[in-house]
Amino acid sequence: MPSARVRVLVLRAAGTNCDFETAYGFEKAGASVDRVHVNRLADGSVSLLDYQVLAVPGGFTYGDDISAGKVLANEMRYRIGQQVLEFVEGDRLIIGICNGCQVLVKMGLLPGRGAAEGRVTLAANDSNRFEDRWVYLKVASTKSPFLRSQDIIYLPVAHGEGKFVTDSDTTLAALEQSGQIILKYTDENGQPAAYPANPSGSVGDIAGISSASGRVFGLMPHPERNIEPYHHPRWTRQEPESGADGMRFFMNAVEYFS
Amino acid sequence: MIWRIEVAIVPLFNDPAGHAALEDLADAGVEGLKDCRLVRVYTVEGPLEQEEAQRVGRELLSDSVTERFSLNEPVDTGLPGGSFVVEVAKKAGVMDPVEASTLKGIDDMGIGADAVTTSRKYVFTGSVDEVQFRRHAARVLANEVIEECSFRERDIAGRAPAPPYTFQKITVDLAEADDKTLSAISQDRGLSLNLTEMKTIQAYYRDLGRSPTDVELETLAQTWSEHCVHKTFRGLVEYDGRTIDNLLKSTIARVTSELDRPWCLSVFEDNSGVIAFDDDMAVCFKVETHNHPSAIEPYGGAETGIGGVIRDPLGTGLGAMPVANTDVFCFAPPDMADEDVPEGALHPKRVLKGVVAGVRDYGNRMGIPTVNGAIVFDERFVGNPLVYCGNVGLIPRDKVSKAARPGDIIVAVGGRTGRDGIHGATLSSAELATGSDEVWSGAVQIGNPITEKKMTDVLLIARDRSLYTAITDCGAGGFSSAVGEMGQHTGAAVHLERAPLKYEGLAPGEIWCSEAQERMVLAVPPENLDELIGLFASEDVEATAIGTFTADKRLTLYYDGNEVASLDMDFLHNGVPQLKRRAVWEAPVLREPRLDGAEDYTEDLVAILSDPTVASKEWVIRQYDHEVQGGSVIKPLVGALNDGPSDAAVIQPVRPSEKALVISCGINPRYSDIDPYHMAANAIDEALRQVLAVGGSLEQTAILDNFCWGNTDKPDRLGALVRAAQACYDVAVVYGTPFISGKDSLNNEFQTDGRTIVIPGTLLISAISVMQDARLALTMDLKQEGNLLYLLGSTRDELGASMFYRIHGELGANVPVVIPAEGKKLFDALSTATADRLVRSCHDLSDGGLAVALAEMAFAGGLGLDVDISEVGAAEGLADHVVLFSESPSRFVVEVEPGLAGTFEKAMAGVPCARIGRVTIGTDFIVRKAARQVISTDWPRLKKAWQAPLSF
């Protein structure tokens, strides 16, 4: 563990609900974590720039009214936009999980500057309903420091509006080209597969994308829900241990600064 | 200015909501529709210029990739001309959560708006019969209780402000009223007070020499309602030649007092029962019903059911953090023919979909995992669906007790008060009938989970800073119940005009009794008031001082300085006359059908697996977030493909810790048709054996009772209830499992066409158990080829009210009988074996008996089996179908590795334990009697039959 612990800010707003377990994941990885309400950043009582990692956790901020993540995205843009921009420009990391991913996409931080800017969004699942299920994911690119090795990992999704869409195939190709598609839904062998392997109908089987630098990363699955030996849905079957696949996201983030 | 901003998905992209509307209408029988696109409409009022309204539409309300918007003109949906529209909007006064979020968004942009209303516009193409379309569209697309439907675009009109309220003191003259008049007053004012109660009130006010105010009468009605004081359970009952004084105390609560477990920290006194978890923490558990609201408006009823029960642990002690939800429903079969659905009742499929969506949207948004539940189907639930919602909370052990002190300020926190939900407590105590949906629609409550979530977040911070001395939730009866309860031993004075309102125009009695959701009441020492209000404001939650706890043992209410009620707390809480009723129970005359003699029972098994009560609930379960908070150990779906039916949930609410909680439920209303005593006994047995099946034990296991019954004014219904309550005592005391909380919902009868549909007496037992080590948890899916299978427990000729008889259209007579002394011995032996890690999988036998349990274990594990039933019940000469399908309680199938067989058999010495077969590779599912196969199939076929029925 590094002597000066990495400082992580887990952002909270009305309707955030995965803040405790996300904080726990970072703490397990050795970071020092504060759960901070967005109002504290807006009123200046907490400074975002005192932290190295910003995590926007899962939940239903503002009830996902209008569309998932939209109201918090709008709030962050208008109330703390400047701090966030400065934060991004430094050598820091941002992760958005599930609702946090929706927020980052809708405030324009993902995919961010580049050919795909403003051309990617998240829409309602093809099934038109919320679903909680475990999915296999292939690490399609190691552009983001959150994921360093290209292999298959297993995490749950739990969302109703997680379908990545692009305005065109050209945008999808550009994202692929630039290595910004970090995670893809696959079957257990890493091969492309339809629903339910791709639970939302996401184009290009996208499950997570990053900014051009890789330092801003958003994903729909929940790494913080697979960090204990008992989280795996088949741990009682004593199948080959998948090693709490979610921990690597938190460990890699902490290691990035050591 | 008023701007109507329309948002539509551009034609290039799917419109799943439009597609769903099309499907639902086709489902309802509307033919000829071709396409449908959904348009979201926001009507924004305020001093916005056109350019600002454009920005709101572009940046906030629409998505730049998938959507387009328009200002004050219909948005282009891409559908060709000739399309027609249906627009659905909330009725005036109905809360719309999107409104507040949209206003916040506009405000964050630095643009001011005064009001937002939303509506949904469906644009259709196709050619339809207009009359038929309109009739169905109104029902399918809108919820007519809270929404209204128009068949053209609504006018761009702002909402008319509600007329302000002008104070008027109203008294109700009772002094000279005769019996008929008293009953009429109760009826006309919706008080649900019986004549004896009205006469008690009359006498009280005669002595005082004045007339009660309308607010006083309302307060008494709420406080004395069946929902709040459980008059039936606490009353006098003449039964079987004796008088039972307080059924609750003499049966259910008696178990708890006799067992006197040191780990029961708070039972039957607070808003939920509390048991110890570890040295620092305790857990609370409460289960409620929300049947009548869900019958009228399934989505809102279920939403506020779950929202309400979350506030019970939150209002227990100084407040518990919610960590798990449970949901159990009873519906009529979803494929019921339209003509069988009585007038005034909604179709069961619609009720099911609405209830599931309500629980999903509220529970998921609160960030609470929904970990356990059940769904039972029976035709008699058609007018009276049962919706049980439970919540488990985690609380520090030093925060379990509370007391408001004189001088503490009464602070209302959370949502604002509106007209929603007025008369909920009295509604839940009344019978439903054709037309109820109109009469009671004012009682339907609308939930806003985000209001509750942000209130919960900040409440727990305030709790940990010790800023208040007591807390309770505003449930049925609103402020009236909450303040009345908290101030029972002190006194309270409330200034009703100080309560923050959603809109103008509420009379003092409406403010006092409103059941608007997401509100709690705190007792705050004056020196903490500023800090507390500031803390709540820092997270955008309203906290408002509305009065003071006093030392005068009176409840005094003011409106703008006028006294509108002054009640003696003692009369309010102890004045309700004890009900005195007669109960009878006559055993029905029944006989066993003759159904034996078949050679092969494969088709019977397939039929039982396809019964909706037994069938997979995956479609429902996946819509609930069952993993949020990161504590899940055993999920509701288990097995090789994560789709087998778990017996119970195991969660780890505290990290890092090895300790875990087991949560399970038992329910089987069918047995009531033979004997409610055995219905109740089996419900307890089932809940407990599920705890055992996931590796738990009876040690530190507590249970909750929730009775849903017919009208207990009728002696036979009450007699059935007495029998069920007696079973609760007889069984739980032997198992050593105390009751810690309970609730009843009576009057579940539905009047239609001159007949009454009475629900079968239904007891839900919920169990909660502390597991010392999560690593001991088990699942029910077969694990390994070659492992041995054992049947534990005695199989008897007990097919009465079984699934087997149900699929053959029979009831039978031999209801399963729990023998708790034997069950206890078996459960203790099994928990010793599981603690010693001798068991690889374990499944309890319930609906459908041995055959169903084996099938579920096989297809969950993706493995075959070869079982020989020759040894089972051989001494008693049981027929094959009895062995396969009897629902005798206290039984399990367990899987044991061959190398551990000897140790396991030794551990089970002295309890019925038969080796019946082994796990095989492949898909063969074979059950034999010696050489003769009685069930012979492959498990994928069984799985398919089990998965198909409830997959919508």
Side-chain angles (χ1 to χ4, degrees):
Chain A
M1 199 180 295
S3 52
R5 290 206 288 164
V6 174
R7 297 196 65 191
V8 178
L9 186 150
V10 174
L11 188 71
R12 232 158 44 77
T16 299
N17 65 33
C18 302
D19 46 330
F20 280 102
E21 57 268 41
T22 302
Y24 183 69
F26 278 110
E27 278 164 9
K28 250 185 114 143
S32 151
V33 189
D34 293 317
R35 292 165 44 252
V36 177
H37 196 280
V38 64
N39 286 353
R40 302 292 77 73
L41 294 178
D43 67 19
S45 54
V46 175
S47 168
L48 184 57
L49 298 173
D50 289 345
Y51 296 84
Q52 287 140 303
V53 181
L54 167 65
V56 189
F60 286 85
T61 47
Y62 301 100
D64 280 357
D65 296 337
I66 303 175
S67 79
K70 188 78 184 197
V71 178
L72 180 58
N74 182 71
E75 177 172 28
M76 286 175 71
R77 241 182 96 194
Y78 281 97
R79 293 181 76 201
I80 59 169
Q82 198 52 42
Q83 302 176 49
V84 173
L85 279 185
E86 267 183 67
F87 190 90
V88 174
E89 278 158 17
D91 187 17
R92 299 184 171 90
L93 299 179
I94 300 184
I95 185 169
I97 301 169
C98 194
N99 193 241
C101 176
Q102 293 162 335
V103 169
L104 297 183
V105 168
K106 288 180 187 174
M107 69 185 288
L109 282 181
L110 285 176
R113 279 176 210 147
E117 183 168 17
R119 296 172 182 276
V120 178
T121 192
L122 287 150
N125 294 352
D126 282 348
S127 67
N128 197 34
R129 61 173 181 264
F130 179 101
E131 286 194 339
D132 176 338
R133 62 169 74 247
W134 283 67
V135 292
Y136 292 95
L137 300 155
K138 185 170 86 177
V139 181
S141 156
T142 52
K143 188 175 209 40
S144 174
F146 287 94
L147 285 164
R148 293 182 177 176
S149 53
Q150 278 183 301
D151 47 11
I152 310 293
I153 55 181
Y154 196 42
L155 298 175
V157 290
H159 62 248
E161 289 181 44
K163 178 184 177 175
F164 276 94
V165 293
T166 56
D167 67 338
S168 65
D169 292 345
T170 321
T171 302
L172 183 60
L175 271 181
E176 189 98 52
Q177 186 72 41
S178 60
Q180 284 173 261
I181 301 176
I182 306 296
L183 281 173
K184 288 185 173 191
Y185 298 112
T186 64
D187 66 13
E188 66 265 43
N189 303 313
Q191 296 307 308
Y195 177 87
N198 173 346
S200 55
S202 222
V203 300
D205 298 321
I206 301 176
I209 59 172
S210 78
S211 62
S213 72
R215 286 185 282 104
V216 182
F217 173 49
L219 76 168
M220 290 310 296
H222 286 274
E224 79 284 7
R225 296 187 187 183
N226 189 9
I227 59 175
E228 300 277 8
Y230 324 120
H231 279 157
H232 193 288
R234 296 187 297 277
W235 71 268
T236 61
R237 298 182 68 76
Q238 297 172 354
E239 284 182 2
E241 196 42 63
S242 65
D245 282 348
M247 262 322 283
R248 70 183 66 193
F249 294 80
F250 306 105
M251 310 274 289
N252 289 341
V254 170
E255 275 165 28
Y256 180 74
F257 295 99
S258 59
Chain B
M1 287 293 288
I2 298 175
W3 300 99
R4 180 179 158 104
I5 304 175
E6 293 197 0
V7 182
I9 294 179
V10 295
L12 181 66
F13 294 101
N14 273 346
D15 179 359
H19 189 72
L22 214 52
E23 273 187 356
D24 287 346
L25 282 165
D27 231 22
V30 177
E31 289 168 8
L33 286 171
K34 223 173 122 202
D35 208 346
C36 172
R37 306 290 285 188
L38 175 70
V39 176
R40 291 182 286 125
V41 184
Y42 301 83
T43 307
V44 181
E45 288 176 61
L48 291 79
E49 298 300 326
Q50 171 144 4
E51 181 255 344
E52 290 173 315
Q54 286 279 359
R55 273 182 59 209
V56 169
R58 190 172 56 243
E59 294 180 27
L60 181 67
L61 301 179
S62 66
D63 186 284
S64 59
V65 180
T66 54
E67 293 173 336
R68 60 167 68 127
F69 75 100
S70 70
L71 220 53
N72 288 359
E73 62 177 2
V75 69
D76 177 13
T77 58
L79 292 181
S83 59
F84 46 102
V85 306
V86 179
E87 191 164 331
V88 179
K90 297 254 184 331
K91 287 182 178 170
V94 174
M95 207 266 312
D96 177 5
V98 182
E99 234 175 273
S101 301
T102 308
L103 277 174
K104 183 208 159 41
I106 295 173
D107 188 55
D108 285 342
M109 294 172 75
I111 302 173
D114 301 328
V116 173
T117 51
T118 69
S119 52
R120 305 187 299 277
K121 184 174 95 173
Y122 298 88
V123 184
F124 292 97
T125 56
S127 68
V128 291
D129 176 308
E130 194 166 323
V131 178
Q132 190 216 25
F133 172 74
R134 287 194 173 201
R135 189 158 47 85
H136 287 292
R139 210 167 41 82
V140 172
L141 302 176
N143 173 348
E144 291 172 288
V145 178
I146 55 165
E147 292 175 327
E148 54 201 6
C149 214
S150 69
F151 292 91
R152 57 183 180 84
E153 269 107 4
R154 292 162 60 85
D155 297 329
I156 306 179
R159 177 181 290 173
Y165 171 74
T166 317
F167 178 74
Q168 207 185 347
K169 185 161 177 169
I170 298 168
T171 55
V172 183
D173 194 10
L174 296 184
E176 305 304 322
D178 58 12
D179 291 2
K180 210 175 133 197
T181 314
L182 286 175
S183 298
I185 290 171
S186 173
Q187 176 92 31
D188 296 346
R189 294 186 161 264
L191 302 176
S192 289
L193 290 167
N194 66 30
L195 182 60
T196 318
E197 290 158 351
M198 286 301 289
K199 286 171 104 161
T200 307
I201 294 170
Q202 182 183 43
Y204 177 76
Y205 280 95
R206 268 190 192 143
D207 287 350
L208 290 181
R210 68 174 175 96
S211 300
T213 65
D214 57 341
V215 181
E216 287 172 335
L217 266 187
E218 281 274 347
T219 306
L220 287 162
Q222 296 287 352
T223 312
W224 290 8
S225 69
E226 179 64 56
H227 186 84
C228 296
V229 288
H230 308 284
K231 292 181 275 202
T232 299
F233 267 94
R234 293 175 201 272
L236 292 170
V237 181
E238 306 254 348
Y239 177 75
D240 201 18
R242 63 197 167 98
T243 302
I244 301 167
D245 182 358
N246 195 327
L247 190 58
L248 179 71
K249 259 195 188 142
S250 58
T251 58
I252 292 161
R254 187 172 149 210
V255 177
T256 312
S257 58
E258 284 183 11
L259 292 172
D260 194 24
R261 297 285 194 248
W263 44 265
C264 286
L265 304 183
S266 168
V267 290
F268 293 110
E269 46 189 46
D270 210 331
N271 290 311
S272 63
V274 188
I275 64 168
F277 179 68
D278 59 19
D279 292 343
D280 304 317
M281 302 301 280
V283 285
C284 315
F285 195 6
K286 177 63 173 279
V287 179
E288 276 273 15
T289 50
H290 225 218
N291 305 335
H292 294 180
S294 304
I296 295 167
E297 207 289 82
Y299 181 82
E303 234 199 342
T304 51
I306 195 73
V309 80
I310 291 165
R311 292 192 299 277
D312 281 320
L314 197 59
T316 296
L318 291 168
M321 176 174 147
V323 296
N325 285 339
T326 65
D327 291 286
V328 175
F329 312 133
C330 298
F331 301 129
D335 57 356
M336 192 175 222
D338 281 334
E339 55 270 28
D340 293 337
V341 178
E343 166 122 29
L346 298 173
H347 191 279
K349 187 168 173 187
R350 175 147 192 208
V351 176
L352 182 154
K353 282 187 159 187
V355 166
V356 169
V359 167
R360 172 195 69 202
D361 287 355
Y362 209 101
N364 292 356
R365 276 169 174 69
M366 280 299 291
I368 303 168
T370 297
V371 299
N372 185 252
I375 309 181
V376 174
F377 295 93
D378 185 294
E379 289 72 9
R380 289 165 289 178
F381 294 115
V382 68
N384 252 120
L386 304 185
V387 175
Y388 296 92
C389 301
N391 178 263
V392 178
L394 186 70
I395 186 171
R397 289 179 68 158
D398 60 3
K399 305 277 186 202
V400 171
S401 56
K402 63 180 162 198
R405 299 170 310 189
D408 284 351
I409 310 295
I410 302 171
V411 177
V413 301
R416 292 187 156 214
T417 299
R419 215 168 254 128
D420 31 357
I422 288 176
H423 285 304
T426 43
L427 164 70
S428 70
S429 308
E431 277 177 34
L432 291 184
T434 302
S436 295
D437 48 342
E438 284 156 34
V439 180
W440 290 107
S441 64
V444 172
Q445 307 147 359
I446 305 299
N448 185 350
I450 297 311
T451 303
E452 182 141 312
K453 174 64 174 148
K454 62 184 184 179
M455 173 181 76
T456 304
D457 289 349
V458 69
L459 254 178
L460 295 173
I461 299 171
R463 177 197 72 183
D464 293 341
R465 287 199 206 163
S466 302
L467 293 179
Y468 56 86
T469 57
I471 180 172
T472 202
D473 64 303
C474 286
F479 287 138
S480 123
S481 300
V483 176
E485 220 174 85
M486 289 171 86
Q488 184 175 356
H489 304 295
T490 55
V494 177
H495 299 270
L496 294 168
E497 78 284 356
R498 294 184 190 164
L501 302 181
K502 293 181 180 177
Y503 35 78
E504 292 278 295
L506 270 71
E510 292 180 307
I511 298 170
W512 183 235
C513 295
S514 160
E515 296 185 358
Q517 297 291 300
E518 292 96 21
R519 299 175 307 158
M520 306 283 289
V521 174
L522 307 178
V524 182
E527 63 273 21
N528 295 344
L529 187 64
D530 288 348
E531 186 183 346
L532 180 117
I533 289 176
L535 174 64
F536 276 81
S538 78
E539 301 205 358
D540 308 322
V541 182
E542 249 178 323
T544 313
I546 60 168
T548 312
F549 289 104
T550 57
D552 62 0
K553 303 217 159 88
R554 294 191 69 76
L555 177 67
T556 318
L557 305 177
Y558 303 94
Y559 187 86
D560 277 342
N562 304 291
E563 185 181 287
V564 293
S566 174
L567 276 161
D568 178 15
M569 282 287 188
D570 184 53
F571 178 66
L572 179 62
H573 289 284
N574 305 315
V576 57
Q578 203 178 14
L579 267 188
K580 191 172 173 177
R581 288 197 293 205
R582 202 170 61 83
V584 295
W585 190 76
E586 277 176 51
V589 180
L590 300 167
R591 56 179 191 82
E592 281 287 296
R594 297 195 60 87
L595 289 170
D596 51 329
E599 286 291 309
D600 185 283
Y601 290 97
T602 307
E603 297 315 311
D604 295 273
L605 174 58
V606 169
I608 293 173
L609 289 168
S610 312
D611 184 284
T613 297
V614 176
S616 172
K617 310 297 184 296
E618 181 171 352
W619 180 86
V620 177
I621 294 167
R622 292 227 178 274
Q623 295 189 58
Y624 301 151
D625 191 335
H626 44 263
E627 294 171 289
V628 62
Q629 297 192 13
S632 113
V633 175
I634 300 296
K635 303 177 205 301
L637 295 166
V638 298
L641 292 174
N642 307 338
D643 57 7
S646 180
D647 284 315
V650 182
I651 60 165
Q652 268 188 321
V654 175
R655 277 165 309 173
S657 162
E658 296 307 330
K659 283 206 179 194
L661 275 179
V662 184
I663 298 158
S664 71
C665 64
I667 184 167
N668 200 330
R670 292 193 318 276
Y671 297 158
S672 262
D673 293 338
I674 299 180
D675 190 337
Y677 180 95
H678 297 295
M679 179 280 297
N682 276 284
I684 297 174
D685 194 82
E686 183 180 19
L688 296 179
R689 54 182 199 256
Q690 291 177 349
V691 170
L692 270 290
V694 295
S697 75
L698 291 178
E699 190 76 15
Q700 213 168 325
T701 298
I703 54 180
L704 282 71
D705 64 280
N706 285 84
F707 288 88
C708 286
W709 229 254
N711 180 354
T712 48
D713 285 338
K714 297 169 186 163
D716 61 326
R717 323 278 206 268
L718 187 57
L721 185 68
V722 170
R723 273 191 73 73
Q726 280 173 335
C728 287
Y729 173 78
D730 294 347
V731 175
V733 80
V734 177
Y735 279 134
T737 50
F739 287 93
I740 55 167
S741 168
K743 194 93 188 184
D744 49 275
S745 161
L746 309 177
N747 293 313
N748 288 290
E749 304 199 359
F750 188 85
Q751 315 280 353
T752 181
D753 301 335
R755 72 194 168 108
T756 301
I757 305 175
V758 188
I759 66 158
T762 305
L763 171 63
L764 168 69
I765 294 289
S766 306
I768 185 161
S769 177
V770 178
M771 188 183 241
Q772 297 305 322
D773 185 346
R775 287 170 297 191
L776 296 175
L778 291 173
T779 53
M780 48 67 70
D781 45 307
L782 294 182
K783 303 293 190 304
Q784 178 70 48
E785 169 202 7
N787 282 351
L788 303 175
L789 295 171
Y790 290 85
L791 172 63
L792 309 183
S794 306
T795 304
R796 298 178 291 264
D797 184 359
E798 293 178 324
L799 280 167
S802 66
M803 289 306 308
F804 181 75
Y805 279 180
R806 182 180 165 89
I807 61 158
H808 288 285
E810 299 282 354
L811 178 60
N814 297 348
V815 69
V817 173
V818 177
I819 305 172
E822 287 183 14
K824 169 91 165 71
K825 213 171 146 195
L826 174 66
F827 291 4
D828 288 345
L830 176 59
S831 57
T832 308
T834 55
D836 288 341
R837 299 173 195 273
L838 302 177
V839 174
R840 282 294 280 129
S841 66
C842 181
H843 194 22
D844 83 303
L845 272 58
S846 57
D847 296 307
L850 176 63
V852 166
L854 289 172
E856 290 176 342
M857 292 176 83
F859 59 63
L863 288 164
L865 54 75
D866 184 351
V867 160
D868 183 351
I869 57 169
S870 309
E871 302 282 308
V872 182
E876 298 82 9
L878 295 185
D880 298 347
H881 71 286
V882 177
V883 174
L884 291 173
F885 301 111
S886 167
E887 297 182 7
S888 293
S890 312
R891 294 184 304 156
F892 304 86
V893 172
V894 299
E895 176 189 357
V896 177
E897 287 169 15
L900 294 171
T903 322
F904 175 76
E905 284 170 23
K906 210 174 288 167
M908 303 308 291
V911 300
C913 170
R915 189 193 287 198
I916 55 170
R918 62 188 179 84
V919 182
T920 58
I921 196 89
T923 61
D924 287 352
F925 183 90
I926 309 292
V927 181
R928 298 177 286 116
K929 188 160 191 177
R932 183 168 59 84
Q933 295 187 346
V934 289
I935 296 176
S936 165
T937 183
D938 58 279
W939 59 256
R941 181 178 173 222
L942 300 176
K943 184 170 184 176
K944 208 172 147 200
W946 178 75
Q947 286 186 321
L950 299 180
S951 162
F952 301 120

